[in-house]
Amino acid sequence: MTATTMEAEAAAYPGYLKSLEEADEYAAVEVAIGLLEAGMPAERVLLDLVAAAQAEVGERWARNEWSVAQEHAATHISERVVAAVAAYANPRPTRGRIVVACMDGEWHALPARLVAEVLRLRGWQVTFLGASVPAAHLVSYLHRYDAHAVALACALPMRLPYAHRMIEACRRSDVPVVVGGRGFGDDGRWARLLGVAWAPAAPAAADLVADERALRAVPPARLDHLADDEYASLVKRRGELIDSALADLRERVPAVLDYTPAQLDSTVSDLGYIVDFLAAALYVDDETLFTEFTEWLVAILVSRHVPASAVELTLDHYGQQLRDFPRAARFLDRARALVSGSAAKPNN
């Protein structure tokens, strides 16, 4: 890449972020097209500009610097920029079909769209099915259209049980699968546990689908621990657990009684997320999945002026309700100890 192109890239990123901040779609597209005209490859524009900026958008939301509305507006603009870059590059397919989709219940579609466009730039004929694709619908599509491989994205580890079902459904159709996204762990450890090929980023996914032997050469899933039935039993009790946790909070934290409908909805959602992440941790038998989520949740809530002790109370309640679930109780104890330490720190 020329020095002029490198200078253009360095100057472009702050301007692109500014356009997202101001919800200026036209300015954002102009930045991206300007880089393409300066000689930057389309793949780099997608990954070094759009993907990098979108990661910063997520961080700003997590720090409570941006509202959900601002995050949604920025994501929409980034999607329009991806479309503009794809139209400018306009590659012609020279290889087989790759189907790209998000897991059932997974609504973060932009990362998967970026993977789809990188694959397209590498010469593949790509079908992008978008967000939250039910397993049955995906399999039906695979039966109708011959596919070289399926690329599945998952941003949230709580979707891992659904991801495993989709992976197995694709395999029964004899279509190899590659997965990616933070939902499989930053190092892909949960993908390996589920017995599926994993790629840390779009370029790695493109390299992997080009190597069918590597794509299919994966060890079987290691899920013998599911024989204890804790995961299935917890899922059955999900609604009951959320209801009892909300009742417990109302009794122990009087301020909850004065919550607005919006605050109450957010609280119920958080109570559900705790159960769902605990269930996913049981599914892969990894307490770090649950403790990492708990630490993230505490950071998010503290940034919104909700004390860490509120999470600690809920973990304690779930621990009492699930005292006959040895693995779940152990995971909850570990998470509660971490939250207790966080709550004891200044400014929490």
Side-chain angles (χ1 to χ4, degrees):
M1 192 165 60
T2 66
T4 302
T5 307
M6 294 176 66
E7 291 172 2
E9 179 183 2
Y13 185 74
Y16 185 77
L17 274 178
K18 186 69 173 177
S19 69
L20 296 183
E21 185 175 352
E22 296 177 351
D24 190 338
E25 175 184 324
Y26 301 100
V29 171
E30 285 178 2
V31 170
I33 299 302
L35 288 173
L36 293 170
E37 292 176 343
M40 180 181 289
E43 184 172 318
R44 288 206 57 186
V45 175
L46 292 174
L47 300 179
D48 295 351
L49 180 72
V50 180
Q54 197 62 27
E56 174 60 23
V57 168
E59 290 298 321
R60 292 184 181 188
W61 171 84
R63 295 193 299 264
N64 203 28
E65 296 172 7
W66 279 21
S67 68
V68 171
Q70 286 176 293
E71 185 270 334
H72 285 185
T75 300
H76 167 74
I77 291 171
S78 290
E79 288 170 345
R80 293 296 299 270
V81 171
V82 171
V85 172
Y88 183 98
N90 196 26
R92 291 293 185 266
T94 57
R95 311 167 92 167
R97 184 189 301 271
I98 306 292
V99 176
V100 180
C102 295
M103 302 295 177
D104 192 2
E106 175 59 69
W107 297 98
H108 296 79
L110 182 57
R113 173 73 187 280
L114 289 167
V115 171
E117 296 307 329
V118 168
L119 289 169
R120 208 185 310 274
L121 290 168
R122 300 282 185 100
W124 294 98
Q125 180 181 354
V126 178
T127 300
F128 179 57
L129 300 183
S132 190
V133 180
H137 294 191
L138 175 59
V139 170
S140 176
Y141 189 89
L142 295 176
H143 285 164
R144 185 173 181 181
Y145 298 98
D146 185 36
H148 173 81
V150 175
L152 297 176
C154 180
L156 298 173
M158 72 176 184
R159 297 294 177 192
L160 284 173
Y162 304 95
H164 188 218
R165 288 195 281 274
M166 289 190 75
I167 292 163
E168 291 303 311
C170 292
R171 283 182 173 153
R172 286 192 292 272
S173 300
D174 196 33
V175 181
V177 182
V178 58
V179 300
R182 292 183 178 179
F184 292 99
D186 292 337
D187 58 357
R189 59 189 181 276
W190 299 316
R192 290 189 293 274
L193 188 77
L194 298 180
V196 64
W198 170 80
D207 292 340
L208 190 53
V209 297
D211 186 349
E212 188 170 359
R213 178 182 296 180
L215 197 57
R216 292 183 180 272
V218 292
R222 305 188 307 275
L223 299 171
D224 293 345
H225 52 272
L226 292 178
D228 66 14
D229 208 36
E230 281 198 35
Y231 165 76
S233 298
L234 178 62
V235 171
K236 289 179 182 177
R237 293 184 58 182
R238 182 181 188 274
E240 167 201 332
L241 287 167
I242 294 170
D243 289 343
S244 66
L246 182 60
D248 183 66
L249 279 177
R250 282 173 165 155
E251 182 177 337
R252 300 171 71 177
V253 184
V256 175
L257 296 172
D258 297 322
Y259 274 8
T260 65
Q263 288 175 313
L264 191 59
D265 285 345
S266 294
T267 300
V268 171
S269 293
D270 290 339
L271 295 175
Y273 289 145
I274 293 172
V275 175
D276 292 340
F277 273 86
L278 178 60
L282 292 174
Y283 196 87
V284 297
D285 196 30
D286 188 345
E287 73 173 30
T288 64
L289 187 157
F290 186 61
T291 55
E292 288 172 4
F293 158 73
T294 304
E295 290 179 304
W296 174 86
L297 178 63
V298 167
I300 294 294
L301 292 178
V302 167
S303 74
R304 288 151 176 77
H305 312 294
V306 178
S309 57
V311 178
E312 187 177 3
L313 288 174
T314 297
L315 295 174
D316 180 66
H317 175 78
Y318 283 153
Q320 293 176 28
Q321 297 297 309
L322 298 171
R323 55 186 175 273
D324 294 330
F325 291 57
R327 287 194 295 130
R330 185 171 72 251
F331 295 175
L332 286 161
D333 284 344
R334 177 59 179 159
R336 188 164 59 246
L338 291 174
V339 175
S340 179
S342 175
K345 293 178 182 178
N347 301 323
N348 280 350

